[in-house]
Amino acid sequence: MNRSQITAGLRDRPDIAVLVIGGGINGISVFRELALQGVDVVLAEKGDYCCGASAALSRMVHGGLRYLENGEFKLVRESLLERDRLLGNAPHYVAPLPTTVPIFDIFSGLANGAVRFLGLTRRPSRRGALVIKTGLAMYDLFTSARRLMPTHRFRGRTETLKTWPAINPAIRNSATYYDAWVSRPERLGLEMLLEATASGARALNYAKVSSSGEGLAITDTLTGERLPVRPRLIVNATGGWIDLTNQAIGASAPRMMGGTKGSHLIVDNAELHAALGGHMVYYENEDGRICILFPYLGKVLIGSTDIRVDDPDQVRCEEDEQRYILQSLAFVFPSVKIGENQIVFRFAGVRPLPASDDSFTGRIPRDHFCEFVEAIGHLPATLCMIGGKWTTFRSFGALAADSVLERLGLERSVGTEDMAIGGGRDFPADPERWCASFALEHGLPVERARMLLQRYGTSARKVVAHPAGEQMLPRSDYSAGEIRQIIEHEQVECLADLFLRRTTIAISGGLSFDLINAVLDMLAAHKGWNASEAAAECSTFLALLADRHGIDLQTHQRSALCA
């Protein structure tokens, strides 16, 4: 069902069972859960799918080791269970990640950790070996019944320096445990959304929900058309925007959200990449703030900050945050120097945390829950999804869906605990054998088959369905066929959708004028844009790159590209 068919359907029949507002990972999750139960559900996202916090995560799928000292044991257990489910349900995007914690003290953090746990202090502090050992032992205990990855191990100073020669020589010990990482989180969300729409549910990006004189309306911001809708129930899944959304639809609700900003850098530095040895390094800056760095798509991801924000629409990685992140890196790998030109991408997002007046943001609970705002006037009851983190999107979506089903008097018929997602379906136990067979079948190099499996899982078959699809785009390892498939079938409305979310081209530093120009031609032809419209789209995209992601593609060439 395409965009015009969806809007026509809403125009003809505005009465629907459930309206989900918000197309981030949690909104998509509850949308998918309800669609699988056969509920008449519509999702409206004011921007693009997974364009907010769901695109700005640290790319970790983890249990939350540091949540243990806050006493959030239930959340850690749930997160570890959902992490393990994602390893099975989305093996094309989620994989084990050896994680090493450098330790510079033995006893540090014992007393402070105890009083923090009891709620007697809010101050962060450095964690010593005994505190970390205790936390990792609990981590192992929580997964003992379904051991998928090795238990943790400790190293002494000598072995640590031998394994990571570039690490700060003041180190006393190191500890290695396993969590997981997600290579393409936006695509994982999109796969779930497309599976839901294939079952008859409807979703619109660039669709803003607001109150009207007699209820609610969805405004198609691409055309300006305003579509009245009459849902029996609303789900507010807008994360950091929950309070703003409640105001926009007229829901009478107290303040629910108190988000914090997390910023990250993507760095192209061969020395740092080699120094990591394939591990994520999970470390504390000198102020006690947890930071991470790990290999990501041939580059290194470094983050993050934790800063309160008032306007989630304006978040970006500021210069002082970049300095902080690089300073933290200098503490753990003092010999590695990062040049300004080696920062190929930066991004920031808002963590959807519950409202809190705590002065230390690290103490704000990371758990999730749902609250109903009861019906008022023409507005039906609204279920607000509060809190949450990327790892637990499935369980959070299931929790919200069950609350909705109960209100509607319906019963769950399908569970998603062990349901494969998109290209994770029928994922091969022997990927190399699959790639060899796939390459032979389609006349491709094996390396190309490997890349397609990494990008799309077993859905890679759709990408090479046409012989012309393997014409490679300029300065890129993406083919014209891949991009054409994405444009035609994945609700792409602008260049940012394609370069920032449907692919990893921008985040991995792969943008070039030649590539943007080639893709713009394809997108303009599909959309029927004239030269002026295509030039405006180009200018908008380049301005977004410079403002939000620190990418300035040589201003003096911009006019030639957009002409």
Side-chain angles (χ1 to χ4, degrees):
M1 192 180 300
N2 61 34
R3 189 179 192 89
S4 62
Q5 291 171 324
I6 293 172
T7 55
L10 291 173
R11 193 182 306 120
D12 295 339
R13 191 175 62 84
D15 293 291
I16 58 177
V18 181
L19 173 63
V20 176
I21 308 175
I25 193 64
N26 289 325
I28 289 173
S29 180
V30 68
F31 175 68
R32 174 192 184 224
E33 294 280 344
L34 292 171
L36 289 170
Q37 317 313 317
V39 175
D40 179 21
V41 56
V42 172
L43 182 147
E45 162 57 46
K46 72 171 187 175
D48 186 30
Y49 308 118
C50 290
C51 71
S54 299
L57 68 155
S58 295
R59 268 60 184 170
M60 294 168 59
V61 176
H62 65 107
L65 178 63
R66 71 184 181 90
Y67 305 155
L68 291 172
E69 70 180 25
N70 287 356
E72 297 184 90
F73 302 121
K74 174 180 173 292
L75 174 60
V76 174
R77 287 192 189 95
E78 179 182 358
S79 300
L80 288 170
L81 177 59
E82 292 301 315
R83 178 202 70 183
D84 291 351
R85 283 172 171 158
L86 276 170
L87 286 167
N89 293 337
H92 54 319
Y93 294 146
V94 180
L97 178 65
T99 302
T100 292
V101 183
I103 303 168
F104 297 91
D105 301 286
I106 302 298
F107 301 103
S108 177
L110 279 176
N112 196 275
V115 295
R116 258 201 325 275
F117 178 79
L118 295 172
L120 301 178
T121 183
R122 303 296 186 186
R123 295 180 294 106
S125 69
R126 302 293 298 279
R127 287 86 168 169
L130 292 180
V131 170
I132 292 170
K133 179 70 174 177
T134 301
L136 291 177
M138 294 180 68
Y139 222 58
D140 289 341
L141 180 63
F142 288 157
T143 58
S144 59
R146 54 174 197 286
R147 180 77 61 212
L148 298 181
M149 294 181 284
T151 57
H152 78 275
R153 60 168 295 194
F154 259 68
R155 296 178 179 84
R157 180 176 186 273
T158 300
E159 186 181 359
T160 298
L161 289 173
K162 182 179 179 180
T163 307
W164 294 278
I167 210 161
N168 189 332
I171 198 165
R172 296 286 296 270
N173 300 88
S174 66
T176 295
Y177 69 102
Y178 278 77
D179 255 325
W181 71 293
V182 54
S183 59
R184 293 163 175 85
E186 302 92 338
R187 288 208 60 83
L188 185 56
L190 185 76
E191 285 186 345
M192 293 196 300
L193 181 125
L194 294 177
E195 287 179 348
T197 57
S199 68
R202 293 168 288 177
L204 283 172
N205 52 358
Y206 300 98
K208 190 172 183 178
V209 180
S210 59
S211 62
S212 66
E214 299 180 354
L216 296 176
I218 299 175
T219 299
D220 182 344
T221 59
L222 301 178
T223 65
E225 182 179 6
R226 190 174 171 87
L227 301 162
V229 289
R230 293 189 293 269
R232 293 173 57 192
L233 198 66
I234 300 168
V235 177
N236 183 347
T238 55
W241 290 259
I242 274 184
D243 295 327
L244 297 174
T245 300
N246 282 335
Q247 292 172 19
I249 64 175
S252 179
R255 175 173 169 253
M256 295 180 173
M257 191 55 58
T260 66
K261 178 174 66 165
S263 292
H264 302 77
L265 305 177
I266 303 293
V267 171
D268 187 5
N269 181 291
E271 181 184 4
L272 178 60
H273 191 277
L276 294 174
H279 283 227
M280 179 173 86
V281 175
Y282 179 86
Y283 64 101
E284 293 175 294
N285 199 6
E286 293 174 288
D287 61 0
R289 165 73 190 151
I290 296 293
C291 300
I292 62 164
L293 64 154
F294 72 95
Y296 180 72
L297 303 179
K299 308 297 188 297
V300 177
L301 185 151
I302 317 174
S304 71
T305 55
D306 197 9
I307 302 169
R308 287 188 182 275
V309 294
D310 296 320
D311 185 354
D313 282 314
Q314 300 303 317
V315 297
R316 63 179 182 179
C317 178
E318 304 290 353
E319 292 299 327
D320 60 335
E321 293 178 272
Q322 180 171 306
R323 287 193 296 271
Y324 175 87
I325 292 170
L326 293 180
Q327 173 268 322
S328 77
L329 171 64
F331 170 72
V332 71
F333 285 109
S335 64
V336 178
K337 307 301 179 186
I338 305 297
E340 182 73 25
N341 65 338
Q342 294 177 324
I343 301 172
V344 299
F345 195 80
R346 59 189 186 188
F347 61 95
V350 178
R351 301 178 183 91
L353 305 180
S356 171
D357 294 323
D358 202 311
S359 60
F360 173 42
T361 55
R363 286 288 298 182
I364 301 174
R366 261 52 176 178
D367 208 350
H368 55 254
F369 55 95
C370 297
E371 284 193 8
F372 270 105
V373 178
E374 296 303 332
I376 179 172
H378 295 290
L379 187 72
T382 300
L383 177 73
C384 297
M385 299 178 68
I386 303 167
K389 63 197 197 77
W390 209 93
T391 303
T392 55
F393 72 79
R394 192 215 60 83
S395 57
F396 195 12
L399 173 69
D402 287 341
S403 296
V404 169
L405 292 170
E406 183 179 359
R407 281 280 177 129
L408 296 177
L410 302 174
E411 293 186 359
R412 175 179 286 275
S413 58
V414 178
T416 54
E417 293 87 348
D418 302 310
M419 183 177 291
I421 299 170
R425 191 169 289 109
D426 300 322
F427 197 79
D430 185 348
E432 281 301 307
R433 183 177 179 181
W434 187 95
C435 289
S437 175
F438 186 81
L440 183 63
E441 178 184 355
H442 295 282
L444 302 173
V446 173
E447 181 55 37
R448 173 70 175 151
R450 289 193 195 102
M451 185 166 292
L452 291 173
L453 185 64
Q454 291 168 7
R455 286 178 185 163
Y456 311 105
T458 53
S459 298
R461 298 183 185 93
K462 300 176 183 177
V463 176
V464 293
H466 306 290
E470 281 307 300
Q471 178 185 353
M472 304 307 292
L473 291 169
R475 302 187 187 183
S476 175
D477 56 6
Y478 278 79
S479 72
E482 284 179 82
I483 299 302
R484 187 173 294 109
Q485 177 78 15
I486 290 169
I487 289 173
E488 292 176 355
H489 300 285
E490 297 186 359
Q491 299 189 29
V492 173
E493 302 296 342
C494 63
L495 287 172
D497 297 346
L498 204 150
F499 284 120
L500 296 177
R501 291 173 286 275
R502 305 299 187 276
T503 71
T504 54
I505 292 172
I507 196 171
S508 60
L511 286 172
S512 69
F513 281 132
D514 288 344
L515 178 58
I516 293 174
N517 202 25
V519 170
L520 179 60
D521 286 345
M522 296 170 67
L523 184 58
H526 180 74
K527 296 292 183 185
W529 292 339
N530 59 34
S532 177
E533 290 169 326
E537 170 59 25
C538 175
S539 295
T540 298
F541 178 56
L542 293 174
L544 174 68
L545 290 177
D547 180 57
R548 297 298 175 93
H549 301 294
I551 302 174
D552 188 353
L553 294 179
Q554 299 181 14
T555 304
H556 69 276
Q557 294 185 26
R558 194 171 298 173
S559 59
L561 173 65
C562 298

